[in-house]
Amino acid sequence: NAGVTQTPKFQVLKTGQSMTLQCAQDMNHNSMYWYRQDPGMGLRLIYYSASEGTTDKGEVPNGYNVSRLNKREFSLRLESAAPSQTSVYFCASRTTGDQPQHFGDGTRLSIL
Amino acid sequence: QKEVEQNSGPLSVPEGAIASLNCTYSDRGSQSFFWYRQYSGKSPELIMFIYSNGDKEDGRFTAQLNKASQYVSLLIRDSQPSDSATYLCAVIVLGNEKLTFGTGTRLTIIP
């Protein structure tokens, strides 16, 4: 009963390096989401995908790209990492309508 | 005005007492309401959801919704030290695929 799986759990990058965060869900959910969470800032939506083949910008999309590879997988890419992108990243998924989101365990990313 | 507002706290409650967490929202199209608990260093975990006006009870937790006044609250009875966490309120607006989260209330239960 894996739910939402994120990899890696921890990562340290140097400024300018690129990286892809992976997310997979096994609950047959239609919608998937990427958030970042910084101290005192709450959850901020980066991108989301309401269905396979669609993606939309959230509140803080600059510096990120996403790919909805199939119904199960939704990846987040940092093309040129910056120290301001140091954060905890959460992936979430849900089915449609009035259903809640379910979160992965998060990826702790530090950019030096 | 933020779409979903919560008092950031910290809220300190003695062990065994009732903890009351409040959330207000601005969009009258909001139709579904959720409470998540987040322990330090962990991911948010769904603990309650409510769709209709009134109260919904689950064990020591009660969610209360008042759509006319645009607030939703979470009561935790017989508070335990393990209830110490940040509580996030979230809402879904009709026709919107995104949940809107408040910034959370940090709750500390004092033994």
Side-chain angles (χ1 to χ4, degrees):
Chain A
N1 190 17
V4 180
T5 302
Q6 291 184 236
T7 55
K9 295 190 184 304
F10 302 94
Q11 185 70 48
V12 178
L13 293 177
K14 294 182 179 179
T15 297
Q17 287 185 318
S18 62
M19 163 148 203
T20 299
L21 307 185
Q22 306 287 352
C23 176
Q25 53 91 9
D26 62 2
M27 297 176 282
N28 200 35
H29 286 169
N30 295 314
S31 301
M32 298 185 73
Y33 307 82
W34 276 106
Y35 294 88
R36 61 178 290 174
Q37 187 175 42
D38 303 296
M41 298 291 290
L43 288 164
R44 291 188 290 170
L45 183 65
I46 304 171
Y47 272 94
Y48 68 103
S49 170
S51 62
E52 185 178 353
T54 68
T55 61
D56 286 285
K57 295 179 180 180
E59 183 184 353
V60 288
N62 291 344
Y64 305 94
N65 287 302
V66 290
S67 295
R68 183 74 182 268
L69 304 170
N70 47 55
K71 191 171 185 178
R72 291 185 63 249
E73 298 173 290
F74 189 37
S75 63
L76 178 72
R77 183 162 178 84
L78 287 71
E79 291 290 353
S80 179
S84 62
Q85 295 176 306
T86 293
S87 189
V88 180
Y89 291 84
F90 289 106
C91 178
S93 71
R94 76 183 194 105
T95 188
T96 55
D98 56 7
Q99 297 303 302
Q101 288 180 345
H102 300 270
F103 287 84
D105 289 339
T107 295
R108 282 153 183 75
L109 183 61
S110 293
I111 299 162
L112 307 176
Chain B
Q1 181 187 9
K2 294 181 181 178
E3 294 180 54
V4 178
E5 294 207 45
Q6 297 181 252
N7 188 322
S8 61
L11 175 65
S12 296
V13 173
E15 183 176 355
I18 296 175
S20 178
L21 303 163
N22 298 312
C23 171
T24 59
Y25 59 94
S26 60
D27 195 324
R28 287 197 172 273
S30 299
Q31 63 174 21
S32 307
F33 306 86
F34 308 96
W35 283 100
Y36 287 82
R37 177 177 61 199
Q38 187 175 23
Y39 292 117
S40 181
K42 300 296 186 181
S43 61
E45 170 194 14
L46 179 71
I47 55 171
M48 288 288 288
F49 59 89
I50 187 166
Y51 303 138
S52 304
N53 275 330
D55 295 359
K56 179 181 178 181
E57 188 174 315
D58 184 2
R60 296 187 297 112
F61 298 98
T62 298
Q64 300 176 317
L65 175 60
N66 184 324
K67 289 188 176 181
S69 300
Q70 295 178 249
Y71 82 80
V72 57
S73 61
L74 179 69
L75 302 178
I76 306 174
R77 292 181 299 281
D78 188 23
S79 297
Q80 303 296 310
S82 59
D83 295 325
S84 297
T86 296
Y87 289 80
L88 302 169
C89 172
V91 306
I92 295 177
V93 175
L94 183 64
N96 197 328
E97 277 301 318
K98 300 178 292 183
L99 270 68
T100 301
F101 284 86
T103 54
T105 298
R106 188 155 56 94
L107 174 66
T108 300
I109 306 302
I110 304 169

